[in-house]
Amino acid sequence: MPTDPVVPARSAAEVLDELRGLREADAPTRGGRTFAYVYDAGIEGLDELAAAAYTAFATVNGLDPTVFPSVARLENDVVGAVAALLGAPGARGTFTSGGTESILLAVKAARDHARAERGVTAPRLVLPSTAHAAFHKAAHYLGLEAVVVPVDPVTFRADAGAIGAAITDRTALVVASAPSYAHGVIDPVAEIAAAAAGRGVLCHVDACIGGWLLPHLRRAGRTVEPFDLSVPGVTSLSVDLHKYGYADKGASVVLYRDAGLRRHQYFAHAGWPGYPVVNPTVQGTKSGGLLAQAWAVLRYVGEDGYTALAGRVGEASDRLLAGLRAVPGVRVLGDPAAGLVSFTVLDGAGAPDLSLLLHLADEMRILGWYLQPQLSFDGLPPNLHLTLTPATAGRVDALVEDLVTALGSARALPPVTVDPALVGFAARLDPATLGPDEIAAVLAFAGLDGDGALPDRTAPVLALLDAMPGPLKERLLAEFVGSVFHNGG
């Protein structure tokens, strides 16, 4: 019996019209009003160049550089540029799909190095509490135990002494951030690396955010403490080119001090009847398009261009910090290194006010700004997070002006409260045993009705999540995202 096709053919014009319509519901990626997820150089023609470079290599398979030698040339050029900026003599690296893959590979290399060189069979990963969630993902995927060390509650920097004390014979890797995503502050990399080296342990610097920005800030005349492979004891480093390199998503590089360490990242297999497999990255088959567009963007902007862009970000950061610190009831967290800024808002007693903060995020969104809410964690205050780019530099004064207006509106709203009885009940739940009906009931209570859509105001939802235990919070977030990707069902 004939049936309708699952995917009926349509004209190119219809397909593109539908895609353009879908984009209308998204946050804007250009124009400087989205202060998270987006890195916009504000350079005319850069998007078109990246798209053209991607198109030229979209059908090239990056799996086998012996068949497509252009892939090796492009990767050697890109990784070589990163190593020249951040490396040491003999440094080697790999182009990856993003910071998470770079971190996964660095953790794998450290795990396998610890097994091969030190006989470690139950490896541990020592990291500050502000380290990116990708390290926990890597530990989960790769079978390492994550040992989390609290950070200084005033500076939000990692405590090098406490990290050193956490290192044992089972430690495969120690982590530092330059800067940390949550607060934009640089950990004491030299001290952490020295502590790791003293125990014969590898040290990875997560410079996914700062790896391309910080050296150019230094070149623009700002003081930036050493954080890269030039620091004794640093053995690997990750840097995202789709952040302050302004390439399209996903473009990242993981660097190692030498080729011997990088070899532990690779996967090779000849125990099947197909072609011999060797994969430098998690992916096997992959389009050469992302590599080509990153190569093109790096060459187009150039060293002087990146220095000028970094200077704009630094100046914007100075103006934003001054503006925020002049607003009564606003407290900037830590000493941001430029690029990322987080702040909290205070109640009349000088304590962080979660309800006011979340109302402020909603009010700013109504005014056309997206600031990223971050919930409280382990004694660290909830806050709003901003990512500065050259495209946002000209909007800082308008942002601060609207922030003052939005804060006044937020103060006039009734506080968001969470029923203590509900919090107590939630604390007794075992997330692993909750069934679909129970999860649906909790999501509905939180204002998430299972259709994948957020309510117009997110303050009540986020306040409830903030009050819930971590494991239950994680289960609910996973179920909510599952409702977003319902796959047409």
Side-chain angles (χ1 to χ4, degrees):
M1 177 180 296
T3 59
D4 292 334
V6 175
V7 184
R10 301 172 65 188
S11 71
E14 289 177 313
V15 171
L16 293 174
D17 282 346
E18 184 170 357
L19 286 174
R20 283 189 285 266
L22 291 172
R23 279 288 286 119
E24 291 176 0
D26 293 341
T29 60
R30 296 294 181 261
R33 297 184 73 89
T34 301
F35 279 74
Y37 303 119
V38 173
Y39 295 82
D40 181 6
I43 296 177
E44 186 175 353
L46 192 62
D47 289 342
E48 292 76 12
L49 170 69
Y54 182 94
T55 298
F57 278 78
T59 59
V60 170
N61 191 341
L63 174 64
D64 191 344
T66 68
V67 178
F68 300 100
S70 62
V71 170
R73 163 64 191 279
L74 292 175
E75 179 156 336
N76 284 335
D77 285 352
V78 169
V79 175
V82 174
L85 192 67
L86 299 169
R92 294 293 184 269
T94 302
F95 182 82
T96 78
S97 65
T100 294
E101 186 178 15
S102 289
I103 287 167
L104 280 167
L105 293 169
V107 172
K108 179 196 179 296
R111 182 198 68 179
D112 291 0
H113 176 271
R115 286 176 176 171
E117 305 296 329
R118 295 168 43 220
V120 177
T121 57
R124 285 177 170 168
L125 177 64
V126 174
L127 62 161
S129 61
T130 49
H132 197 278
F135 289 99
H136 295 271
K137 184 176 186 177
H140 178 72
Y141 280 8
L142 299 170
L144 288 84
E145 177 187 350
V147 178
V148 179
V149 180
V151 300
D152 185 291
V154 176
T155 67
F156 303 96
R157 301 177 85 207
D159 183 332
I163 285 180
I167 298 173
T168 71
D169 292 341
R170 290 174 53 194
T171 303
L173 185 67
V174 170
V175 174
S177 302
S180 64
Y181 181 84
H183 306 106
V185 300
I186 300 176
D187 287 335
V189 171
E191 292 91 336
I192 292 171
R199 297 294 298 272
V201 172
L202 303 181
C203 176
H204 181 83
V205 174
D206 174 16
C208 287
I209 296 275
W212 205 252
L213 175 66
L214 294 174
H216 290 102
L217 279 173
R218 184 187 291 126
R219 196 168 184 261
R222 292 179 178 254
T223 300
V224 177
E225 60 187 83
F227 68 92
D228 56 21
L229 286 171
S230 67
V231 177
V234 174
T235 53
S236 61
L237 178 145
S238 50
V239 51
D240 286 357
L241 300 178
H242 60 220
K243 291 189 169 73
Y244 289 103
Y246 306 109
D248 287 341
K249 309 283 185 182
S252 181
V253 167
V254 56
L255 277 182
Y256 299 93
R257 184 166 291 280
D258 54 52
L261 182 54
R262 182 182 63 172
R263 193 173 298 117
H264 291 287
Q265 167 193 299
Y266 289 8
F267 171 80
H269 187 72
W272 76 308
Y275 60 91
V277 171
V278 56
N279 296 144
T281 64
V282 175
Q283 299 178 86
T285 290
K286 53 191 175 184
S287 170
L290 288 171
L291 173 59
Q293 62 85 24
W295 180 93
V297 169
L298 291 186
R299 293 206 161 202
Y300 183 72
V301 178
E303 190 76 6
D304 290 342
Y306 280 116
T307 301
L309 292 171
R312 290 192 65 194
V313 171
E315 292 165 6
S317 180
D318 290 344
R319 285 190 287 114
L320 177 62
L321 290 171
L324 290 174
R325 287 168 175 152
V327 179
V330 168
R331 177 163 69 92
V332 173
L333 303 183
D335 184 16
L340 306 182
V341 173
S342 293
F343 68 92
T344 193
V345 292
L346 309 176
D347 62 17
D353 189 328
L354 174 68
S355 174
L356 181 58
L357 182 87
L358 298 178
H359 276 322
L360 175 60
D362 282 338
E363 291 298 308
M364 286 296 284
R365 199 156 190 170
I366 290 170
L367 294 176
W369 304 95
Y370 178 76
L371 312 185
Q372 187 175 49
Q374 298 186 140
L375 303 180
S376 57
F377 173 77
D378 195 28
L380 304 181
N383 59 84
L384 295 182
H385 177 278
L386 298 90
T387 299
L388 290 162
T389 70
T392 63
R395 294 190 175 271
V396 166
D397 295 339
L399 171 75
V400 173
E401 183 178 337
D402 278 355
L403 184 75
V404 172
T405 300
L407 188 55
S409 300
R411 291 187 189 280
L413 294 170
V416 178
T417 59
V418 179
D419 185 350
L422 176 63
V423 175
F425 172 73
R428 296 189 296 272
L429 294 176
D430 180 359
T433 63
L434 293 179
D437 292 341
E438 294 164 308
I439 286 290
V442 177
L443 286 174
F445 186 87
L448 306 173
D449 59 9
D451 65 356
L454 284 171
D456 292 336
R457 298 193 69 91
T458 62
V461 177
L462 295 176
L464 182 60
L465 283 176
D466 189 79
M468 287 188 170
L472 180 59
K473 189 183 306 183
E474 291 167 353
R475 176 71 193 278
L476 292 177
L477 290 170
E479 294 292 341
F480 172 69
V481 170
S483 74
V484 173
F485 295 103
H486 53 69
N487 304 130

